Short mmCIF file of all heavy atoms in Angstrom, two decimals:
data_model
loop_
_atom_site.label_atom_id
_atom_site.label_comp_id
_atom_site.label_asym_id
_atom_site.label_seq_id
_atom_site.Cartn_x
_atom_site.Cartn_y
_atom_site.Cartn_z
N LEU A 115 24.66 -14.79 0.11
CA LEU A 115 24.45 -15.09 -1.31
C LEU A 115 23.00 -15.47 -1.57
O LEU A 115 22.40 -15.05 -2.57
CB LEU A 115 25.39 -16.22 -1.74
CG LEU A 115 25.19 -16.76 -3.16
CD1 LEU A 115 25.37 -15.66 -4.20
CD2 LEU A 115 26.16 -17.91 -3.42
N TRP A 116 22.39 -16.22 -0.67
CA TRP A 116 21.01 -16.63 -0.86
C TRP A 116 20.05 -15.45 -0.70
O TRP A 116 19.01 -15.40 -1.36
CB TRP A 116 20.65 -17.77 0.10
CG TRP A 116 21.10 -19.09 -0.43
CD1 TRP A 116 22.18 -19.83 -0.01
CD2 TRP A 116 20.50 -19.81 -1.50
NE1 TRP A 116 22.30 -20.97 -0.76
CE2 TRP A 116 21.27 -21.00 -1.69
CE3 TRP A 116 19.41 -19.60 -2.32
CZ2 TRP A 116 20.97 -21.94 -2.66
CZ3 TRP A 116 19.10 -20.54 -3.30
CH2 TRP A 116 19.87 -21.69 -3.45
N ILE A 117 20.40 -14.52 0.15
CA ILE A 117 19.58 -13.31 0.27
C ILE A 117 19.60 -12.55 -1.05
O ILE A 117 18.57 -12.06 -1.53
CB ILE A 117 20.09 -12.42 1.42
CG1 ILE A 117 19.74 -13.06 2.76
CG2 ILE A 117 19.50 -11.02 1.33
CD1 ILE A 117 20.22 -12.26 3.95
N VAL A 118 20.79 -12.43 -1.65
CA VAL A 118 20.91 -11.74 -2.94
C VAL A 118 20.10 -12.46 -4.00
O VAL A 118 19.44 -11.83 -4.84
CB VAL A 118 22.39 -11.65 -3.35
CG1 VAL A 118 22.52 -11.04 -4.74
CG2 VAL A 118 23.17 -10.80 -2.33
N ARG A 119 20.11 -13.79 -3.99
CA ARG A 119 19.35 -14.55 -4.96
C ARG A 119 17.85 -14.31 -4.80
O ARG A 119 17.11 -14.20 -5.79
CB ARG A 119 19.67 -16.04 -4.82
CG ARG A 119 21.06 -16.41 -5.29
CD ARG A 119 21.42 -17.83 -4.91
NE ARG A 119 22.71 -18.23 -5.44
CZ ARG A 119 23.36 -19.36 -5.10
NH1 ARG A 119 22.80 -20.17 -4.20
NH2 ARG A 119 24.53 -19.65 -5.64
N ILE A 120 17.38 -14.24 -3.57
CA ILE A 120 15.96 -13.94 -3.33
C ILE A 120 15.61 -12.57 -3.89
O ILE A 120 14.55 -12.37 -4.50
CB ILE A 120 15.66 -14.00 -1.82
CG1 ILE A 120 15.79 -15.45 -1.32
CG2 ILE A 120 14.26 -13.47 -1.52
CD1 ILE A 120 15.67 -15.59 0.19
N GLY A 121 16.51 -11.61 -3.70
CA GLY A 121 16.27 -10.28 -4.23
C GLY A 121 16.18 -10.25 -5.74
O GLY A 121 15.41 -9.47 -6.32
N VAL A 122 16.94 -11.12 -6.40
CA VAL A 122 16.89 -11.19 -7.87
C VAL A 122 15.54 -11.70 -8.32
O VAL A 122 14.96 -11.20 -9.30
CB VAL A 122 18.02 -12.08 -8.40
CG1 VAL A 122 17.81 -12.40 -9.87
CG2 VAL A 122 19.36 -11.39 -8.23
N PHE A 123 15.00 -12.71 -7.64
CA PHE A 123 13.67 -13.21 -7.99
C PHE A 123 12.63 -12.10 -7.85
O PHE A 123 11.71 -11.98 -8.67
CB PHE A 123 13.30 -14.40 -7.11
CG PHE A 123 13.92 -15.70 -7.55
CD1 PHE A 123 14.90 -16.32 -6.80
CD2 PHE A 123 13.51 -16.30 -8.73
CE1 PHE A 123 15.48 -17.51 -7.22
CE2 PHE A 123 14.07 -17.50 -9.16
CZ PHE A 123 15.06 -18.11 -8.40
N ALA A 124 12.77 -11.27 -6.81
CA ALA A 124 11.85 -10.15 -6.62
C ALA A 124 11.98 -9.15 -7.77
O ALA A 124 10.97 -8.61 -8.26
CB ALA A 124 12.13 -9.47 -5.29
N SER A 125 13.21 -8.88 -8.20
CA SER A 125 13.42 -7.94 -9.30
C SER A 125 12.80 -8.46 -10.59
O SER A 125 12.14 -7.72 -11.33
CB SER A 125 14.92 -7.69 -9.51
OG SER A 125 15.48 -6.96 -8.44
N LEU A 126 13.01 -9.74 -10.88
CA LEU A 126 12.42 -10.33 -12.08
C LEU A 126 10.90 -10.29 -12.01
O LEU A 126 10.22 -10.01 -13.01
CB LEU A 126 12.90 -11.78 -12.26
CG LEU A 126 14.40 -11.95 -12.54
CD1 LEU A 126 14.76 -13.43 -12.57
CD2 LEU A 126 14.79 -11.27 -13.85
N GLY A 127 10.37 -10.55 -10.83
CA GLY A 127 8.92 -10.49 -10.65
C GLY A 127 8.37 -9.10 -10.88
O GLY A 127 7.30 -8.92 -11.47
#
Side-chain angles (χ1 to χ4, degrees):
L115 173 59
W116 278 105
I117 288 179
V118 175
R119 289 170 176 170
I120 292 173
V122 168
F123 280 111
S125 291
L126 294 175

